[in-house]
């Protein structure tokens, strides 16, 4: 058992921050939170306490949509809309991952920065390359970070050097299933089915994914209704599908197993109903939706309709890995949406956006994402003393940390109870 | 004469970055750029060169709309629209500046952070308090930073403890004029007329401002068409004005002397024409427009129509002082506007937004804001080596610096030729 003392802040519900000034978190040797309290229960009184003084202890962040191989392109090449952007910048970069040395160099930096920014678990698109994707999973394991990692399947409308086949995809996931069967404890790094998006995947490819999902109960991640041209293209390519979402659903890839759908800027009507019925996660990527000129997703509406909503950086459509920034943009874009619709839909509160980046996103990984009893202990220790130069309440401190803080402020990072050292680059 | 060598990047026009790899900038003892070149002219060949290696030398940044007394509230209290936000958070904070010790504490931190973020000159709203405002001007001078500083005039629709009179305003600016008459060289810190906004200023107050503008040729700054409720309120208060802008114009406070108008989210029609005719600057504050839920200003249209456009952080409506972030948001919000209007209006390029934050904003201070012959030498030396881990072109480097960089990367700061030391907090 380990006991930590600090100002504890988390969002058990989206409605408000829960704060325990100078509280305690007691964590079992397996990394599970046994108790979060103002005063220590008698049974723990004699145990040693790691006292972090006036610092903040918050849940770690979860990035539910990110493209690891686009890390080199982060912060540049954003002068095009989605489809030409893919052709011009993204596919040529991803093609480089046929080279394992190049993949090693970029993936190590990517993982180092996830650690630096306090993103303890993520849902990651790799590339179409089996070897590099396995290497990425290995690097996550070495770093002690959690991840769902997907080999990206694409067999149409893509350059030849990124094309793979349904058989290659099947082999990759079968091998993953074999090696996980040999493990004793549940791994922090697991495979996720990753058809890139409908335009990239033939019927054969989608059928293979559907079979893999059913057979191995594997989760799914992909893109949905990001951009108007993309939606029009899907309509052309899949005339039988009743909506973009249905083009996944008809193959059993839309909530039949846990499913993440990034963007959903234009999701409404039947697609929205289907997502709610099937419990499909919306992964809101506000920086990316700005950078690639996609539009404003109606996130407040999704929350109102009861859809699970998580946040994603979507690097390199998104320009930065920090989930602090994604929380900011989620609130801010919801305020522009509010102004744009003459106040018809309320804007997001900070606690709601923080909850999306922690407890709501974390829920995709299990009992993860909050500082509550029974949850895996993923947490960040924050030193905000430089921001705290006047009398600020704990609630104001967390607000200022979200808007003004950065990686410098994170002093300790925990994933499933383990304090993580800086990964080797 | 001083000579600096580095990778020189600036925007002489909004259309593109001008880049001189490993170029030279020669600066006179008065701080004026005499030459920017690839190879040194013979006359300078024998002079010593400060060689900054592979680093970037860029123009400094200019923040054309910022409220110094709101620094304590930066990054918090953004759950309201403009008018209730003023009442609930902003006026109570500004009232504290009757206390000179409090003003000293907050203003020192504010100026320290401007320095830290590379904002070498700014147009600043102080409060209604004469003594604290003079102290702010003094602190700017001590730091070596440029600023237009305004005593904020407000004599209606405001709390009693922030109310001042036309006579107090007049006295302040007359005293400023007297002390500047005694100076030999043009000061980096100058007064600017600052009626808060139409709802705060009576006819008497506006008349006093108009007279001061005419008599002393003083520049003007204020707020314009930020939010729908505000615009409706102005219409009620000033039924004779033909538009919000006209409520300034009828007093000679709308371009008769150099004028900055912050926001202009809903400026169109007659107001837009008036601004163009009078050469009134739009100060675009994209972070603030998000945070306070005001809306998206049609900046591309303003550029197309030939209005001068600068950028402002508008702290604490804006949540952060870094002009890097403001550049990002300017581009990003223009992309949401683009998506929202089905691509009718093109989005801003990065060079356009960079130009707004440097040469266009700088022009309010004179020949300032670019690395060109005849310009005052305001510049930042940027070490982006940690971002530059692969083969990136100079153009990609500047793009990545704008999107990924922060205050850590600024190694040297120049204002009017002088290398500025860290201000005392």
């Amino acid at each position: 058992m380990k006991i930590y003392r600090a100002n504890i802040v988390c969002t058990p519900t989206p409605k408000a921050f829960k704060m325990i000034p100078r509280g305690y978190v007691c964590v079992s040797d397996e990394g599970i939170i046994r108790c979060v309290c103002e005063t220590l229960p008698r049974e723990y009184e004699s145990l040693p306490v790691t006292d972090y003084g006036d610092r903040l202890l918050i849940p770690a962040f979860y990035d539910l949509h990110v493209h690891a191989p686009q890390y080199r392109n982060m912060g540049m090449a954003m002068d095009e809309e989605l489809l030409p952007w893919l052709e011009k910048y993204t596919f040529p970069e991803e093609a480089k991952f046929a080279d394992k040395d190049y993949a090693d160099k970029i993936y190590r930096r990517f993982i180092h920065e996830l650690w630096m920014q306090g993103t303890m678990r993520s849902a990651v698109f790799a590339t179409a390359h089996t070897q590099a994707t396995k290497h990425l999973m290995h690097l996550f394991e070495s770093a002690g970070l959690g991840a769902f990692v997907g080999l990206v399947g694409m067999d149409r409308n893509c350059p030849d050097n990124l094309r793979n086949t349904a058989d290659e995809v099947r082999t990759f996931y079968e091998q993953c299933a074999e090696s996980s069967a040999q493990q004793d404890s549940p791994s922090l790094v697991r495979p996720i089915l990753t058809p890139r998006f409908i335009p990239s995947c033939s019927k054969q490819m989608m059928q293979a994914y559907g079979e893999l999902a059913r057979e191995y109960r594997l989760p799914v991640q992909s893109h949905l209704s990001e951009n108007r041209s993309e939606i029009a293209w899907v309509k052309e390519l899949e005339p039988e599908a009743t909506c973009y979402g249905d083009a996944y659903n008809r193959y059993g890839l839309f909530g039949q197993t846990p499913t993440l759908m990034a963007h959903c800027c234009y999701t409404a009507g039947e697609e929205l109903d289907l997502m709610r019925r099937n419990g499909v996660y919306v992964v809101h990527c506000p920086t990316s939706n700005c950078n690639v000129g996609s539009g404003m997703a109606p996130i407040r509406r999704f929350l109102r309709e009861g859809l699970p909503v998580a946040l994603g950086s979507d690097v390199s459509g998104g320009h930065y890995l920090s989930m602090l920034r994604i929380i900011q943009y989620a609130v801010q874009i919801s305020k522009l949406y509010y102004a744009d619709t003459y106040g018809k839909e309320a804007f997001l509160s900070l606690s709601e956006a923080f909850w999306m980046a922690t407890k709501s996103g974390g829920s995709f990984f299990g009992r993860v994402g909050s500082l509550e009893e029974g949850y895996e202990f993923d947490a960040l220790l924050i030193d905000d003393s430089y921001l705290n130069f006047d009398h600020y309440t704990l609630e104001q401190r967390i607000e200022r940390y979200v808007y003004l803080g950065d990686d410098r402020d994170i002093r300790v990072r925990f994933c499933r109870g383990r304090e993580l050292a800086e990964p080797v680059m």
Side-chain angles (χ1 to χ4, degrees), chain A:
Chain A
M1 181 72 69
K2 289 217 170 103
I3 305 178
Y4 304 99
R5 187 170 194 196
N7 294 305
I8 298 164
V9 182
C10 62
T11 40
T13 75
K15 283 193 183 153
F17 288 102
K18 181 181 177 186
M19 287 165 286
I20 308 180
R22 302 278 296 123
Y24 299 88
V25 183
C26 307
V27 180
S28 76
D29 293 343
E30 295 74 39
I32 307 300
I33 298 173
R34 291 298 168 215
C35 165
V36 184
C37 49
E38 285 173 48
T39 49
L40 272 184
R42 182 163 290 180
E43 56 194 299
Y44 297 147
E45 269 178 357
S46 61
L47 296 177
V49 172
T50 304
D51 192 333
Y52 290 125
D54 192 40
R55 292 177 178 154
L56 308 172
L57 190 71
I58 63 172
F61 295 121
Y62 304 97
D63 186 345
L64 275 288
H65 186 71
V66 60
H67 294 262
Q70 297 173 21
Y71 183 70
R72 184 198 174 274
N73 281 358
M74 189 168 80
M76 59 184 218
M78 296 177 294
D79 56 345
E80 296 281 3
E81 274 193 66
L82 177 64
L83 300 176
W85 174 86
L86 281 170
E87 294 286 340
K88 192 165 157 187
Y89 300 115
T90 303
F91 288 158
E93 180 60 23
E94 291 195 6
K96 295 184 193 168
F97 286 72
D99 174 353
K100 199 191 157 204
D101 289 341
Y102 185 77
D104 180 64
K105 172 181 161 174
I106 302 299
Y107 283 161
R108 277 184 191 278
R109 287 195 169 264
F110 169 73
I111 282 178
H112 182 271
E113 185 152 354
L114 284 180
W115 173 87
M116 199 172 80
Q117 303 289 0
T119 302
M120 292 295 104
R121 311 195 196 203
S122 43
V124 184
F125 281 57
T127 61
H129 308 95
T130 296
Q131 197 188 17
T133 303
K134 285 188 176 168
H135 186 58
L136 177 60
M137 296 177 84
H138 165 73
L139 291 175
F140 267 113
E141 266 159 20
S142 305
L145 290 164
F148 280 107
V149 177
L151 176 78
V152 175
M154 35 198 322
D155 66 348
R156 67 174 181 180
N157 298 312
C158 67
D160 285 343
N161 56 6
L162 281 176
R163 198 181 302 268
N164 51 16
T165 63
D167 280 345
E168 285 173 82
V169 167
R170 205 187 312 268
T171 304
F172 174 86
Y173 287 97
E174 284 169 356
Q175 287 172 352
C176 286
E178 266 171 45
S179 58
S180 87
Q182 290 159 11
Q183 285 171 345
D184 299 330
S185 62
S187 175
L188 276 166
V189 183
R190 285 174 279 175
I192 183 166
L193 299 174
T194 306
R196 184 175 207 114
F197 69 155
I198 294 295
S200 304
C201 296
S202 71
K203 198 158 281 191
Q204 292 70 35
M205 182 66 96
M206 293 301 280
Q207 272 164 351
Y209 275 118
E211 287 160 22
L212 286 164
R214 268 194 304 284
E215 189 163 345
Y216 298 102
R217 303 301 307 153
L218 283 168
V220 177
Q221 62 180 351
S222 196
H223 298 90
L224 184 68
S225 298
E226 177 172 2
N227 159 301
R228 293 192 187 98
S229 321
E230 171 214 19
I231 295 167
W233 195 19
V234 169
K235 206 170 250 176
E236 257 176 55
L237 290 167
E238 302 293 335
E240 291 159 36
T242 56
C243 60
Y244 192 161
D246 182 52
Y248 294 105
N249 189 53
R250 54 210 294 118
Y251 295 101
L253 297 166
F254 207 64
Q256 289 76 8
T257 58
T259 299
L260 300 170
M261 284 287 154
H263 304 303
C264 308
C265 296
Y266 298 96
T267 292
E270 188 191 335
E271 186 164 284
L272 199 157
D273 291 342
L274 196 53
M275 290 186 82
R276 186 187 33 231
R277 278 204 306 279
N278 291 10
V280 174
Y281 280 68
V282 171
V283 188
H284 179 39
C285 303
T287 52
S288 174
N289 298 159
C290 289
N291 291 327
V292 195
S294 301
M296 297 184 273
I299 298 304
R300 155 66 53 200
R301 176 164 186 209
F302 295 153
L303 288 184
R304 191 162 43 75
E305 301 252 7
L307 268 66
V309 181
L311 296 180
S313 70
D314 192 24
V315 160
S316 68
H319 62 283
Y320 204 59
L321 275 175
S322 162
M323 294 307 292
L324 284 182
R325 300 264 186 102
I326 311 301
I327 294 171
Q328 287 169 29
Y329 277 81
V331 173
Q332 291 167 330
I333 303 310
S334 81
K335 287 176 175 172
L336 290 184
Y337 190 85
Y338 162 88
D340 205 43
T341 56
Y342 291 77
K344 255 183 244 157
E345 201 74 75
F347 51 77
L348 297 174
S349 69
L350 189 68
S351 65
E352 286 172 326
F354 190 90
W355 170 83
M356 287 182 205
T358 57
K359 191 170 179 178
S360 184
S363 69
F364 199 76
F365 300 89
R367 297 200 76 185
V368 169
S370 194
L371 300 176
E372 294 174 61
E373 200 185 310
Y375 274 67
E376 300 186 24
F377 183 59
D378 287 11
L380 306 174
L381 184 74
I382 306 300
D383 184 350
D384 66 337
S385 47
Y386 74 104
L387 290 173
N388 202 10
F389 58 81
D390 199 36
H391 307 294
Y392 291 102
T393 65
L394 209 42
E395 179 143 26
Q396 291 173 329
R397 283 174 62 186
I398 189 76
E399 197 176 350
R400 279 167 59 81
Y401 165 65
V402 170
Y403 279 100
L404 306 176
D406 61 37
D407 56 278
R408 282 173 276 202
D409 312 330
I410 307 177
R411 295 304 157 90
V412 186
R413 295 151 177 89
F414 296 95
C415 187
R416 200 185 271 171
R418 186 175 150 213
E419 186 176 328
L420 296 192
E422 185 171 353
V424 179
M425 268 204 300

